[in-house]
Amino acid sequence: MGAALLITSCGSESGGTASPASSPAPATSSATAQPSTSAPASTSSAPSTSAAASTGGDAVERYEAFMHAAGREDLATVCEIAGPAAKQAEDEGMGPCEKTMPMAFQMISPAQKKALQTATVDRSKIKEGAKKVEIPARAVKASVKFTAGDLGDAVMENRGGKWYVVD
């Protein structure tokens, strides 16, 4: 379904598995000073045990902001949060995010868009690390059930204190 376009077709920069890129993928360089709706990034360079837990939480909050933006068709936020994956897709020959993502939005059903606007992540189902957090589609809680085929499994990576979708 169309929601998989938002996550898995962005590229596979992290080396994880991605869905086939048979659909348009967003592409843009990493973010300019674009504000997001996520929690502020941690400023510590080496997370302690408690900071690592909150870092994973920051990744989840940023991913939730990404899903909410996709549901609203907020192109700027989607392209900013998926910047690294989008850049990888662009390097592989896809068009820029600002051109391809509107086509992807059209492939998401109205019910899926509405569900994405309020979707949350069940943190007990994620795989958390200091620099990477894996969020399987089964961890997404929404009014519409999303599968890996619909939404794709996401990998968030901390780059310069900010979390981005990289796969």
Side-chain angles (χ1 to χ4, degrees), residues 27-44:
T28 185
S29 60
S30 68
T32 57
Q34 179 87 359
S36 75
T37 58
S38 67
S42 171
T43 56
S44 66

Side-chain angles (χ1 to χ4, degrees), residues 35 40 43 60 62 67 69-71 74 91-92 97 104 109 139 144 151 159:
T43 56
V60 168
R62 182 100 154 136
M67 291 188 298
D74 178 349
D91 291 347
E92 293 172 1
C97 184
S109 76
V144 170
L151 190 59
R159 295 187 177 188

Side-chain angles (χ1 to χ4, degrees), residues 5-146:
L5 298 173
L6 297 175
I7 298 162
T8 57
S9 69
C10 291
S12 184
E13 187 167 303
S14 67
T17 58
S19 294
S22 61
S23 53
T28 185
S29 60
S30 68
T32 57
Q34 179 87 359
S36 75
T37 58
S38 67
S42 171
T43 56
S44 66
S45 58
S48 67
T49 309
S50 62
S54 68
T55 300
D58 290 346
V60 168
E61 288 179 18
R62 182 100 154 136
Y63 184 66
E64 288 173 346
F66 172 80
M67 291 188 298
H68 300 168
R72 293 187 316 270
E73 297 188 30
D74 178 349
L75 183 63
T77 300
V78 167
C79 289
E80 189 267 329
I81 295 173
K87 177 66 174 136
Q88 177 71 18
E90 183 177 20
D91 291 347
E92 293 172 1
M94 299 294 179
C97 184
E98 293 78 7
K99 301 278 187 200
T100 59
M101 193 49 62
M103 291 182 279
F105 288 151
Q106 292 175 6
M107 298 178 75
I108 304 170
S109 76
Q112 288 175 318
K113 286 178 190 173
K114 185 174 183 180
L116 284 170
Q117 291 175 28
T118 58
T120 59
V121 172
D122 179 347
R123 293 174 191 223
S124 70
K125 295 180 181 175
I126 68 171
K127 183 177 177 186
E128 219 173 315
K131 288 285 193 183
K132 285 191 179 182
V133 174
E134 296 175 21
I135 304 173
R138 65 182 174 78
V140 174
K141 298 187 300 185
S143 60
V144 170
K145 182 175 175 147
F146 288 102

